[in-house]
Amino acid sequence: MKVSLILASYDSGHYHGGMGQGPDALMSGGLVDALTFAGHDVTVEDIGRVGADQEREIATGFAVCNAVSGEVRIARDRGRFPIVLAGNCLTSAGAVAGDGADAIIWADQHGDLNTPETSVYGFLDGMALATVLGLCWRPMATAIPGFRPIDPARCVLVNARDLDPAEEKLLETLPVIRTECPGVAQATERLKAAGANSVHMHLDLDVHDPKALQANRYVTSGGPNPEQLRDAACAMALAVPVVGITVSAYDPAFDAQADVPPLVGQLLNDLLATIEGR
């Protein structure tokens, strides 16, 4: 398969800070070699620095989305499958805009469903899925080239277990499909029934059980081990048409043994094989 790796190395508006170091760490950890050895034709695109020099979190976060949308669209126009390596989850709004997805699978220990009105900490990334679903930051999201909010009925939220009270309350009012892995078959059946034709898969690496794999500072007990996540992601990719992937939230400072990069390589290779063979 022709694959385009798109690097968006930002965390909270800071270039190469915190989880913004994750994309480069995945690359130096052998991701291109892993994909190439599996037979894929891999190109790498880096959005580099975007936005103003002040690195304001909100403005820069959406500037990253704008740049990612353009790179994803170029990749798809060239017949390449886009995989975005991002520091922040908000970047998926740009990836969704670029690949034209009408549904999303969101694997994350967090709900990312706060809004400016409900957020206790003011963390923009905690509003990432809410933005993708059109629940907040509408003017800035609409300005992302190609962005169209995804209907919450075509959203699968996987293994979200660290939710704020406001997020729990919101989920009681939304038709978001909640599931855990293993056990995703029913969720993808509901996604198909909701009319999903093109699905973006968002994989926040902190969805993993931290006892099996810790990707960043956010630690909540439970979640799948790497094999369980791979199996579940592949099962979903076999059931519904996945048109793009985002891998986010890897902070190498919390991975002293560099366990994450080879596991991401294996995860993506298994996913690509599933998508290609579907």
Side-chain angles (χ1 to χ4, degrees), residues 256-269:
Q257 303 302 315
D259 294 325
V260 170
L263 289 170
V264 170
Q266 188 175 357
L267 170 62
L268 291 176
N269 271 328

Side-chain angles (χ1 to χ4, degrees), residues 107 158-159 181 203-205 207-208 224-234 236 267:
V158 184
N159 272 104
C181 50
L203 303 170
D204 182 323
L205 295 175
V207 73
H208 288 99
N225 63 38
E227 183 179 2
Q228 289 172 325
L229 181 65
R230 281 199 307 274
D231 289 347
C234 289
M236 290 186 285
L267 170 62

Side-chain angles (χ1 to χ4, degrees), residues 105-109 156-161 177-188 201-209 222-237 267:
I105 293 168
W106 194 275
D108 196 326
Q109 73 166 287
V156 176
L157 184 57
V158 184
N159 272 104
R161 57 197 186 275
I177 304 161
R178 296 189 66 180
T179 190
E180 295 185 358
C181 50
V184 297
Q186 185 178 6
T188 47
M201 183 173 285
H202 171 91
L203 303 170
D204 182 323
L205 295 175
D206 71 18
V207 73
H208 288 99
D209 182 346
N225 63 38
E227 183 179 2
Q228 289 172 325
L229 181 65
R230 281 199 307 274
D231 289 347
C234 289
M236 290 186 285
L267 170 62

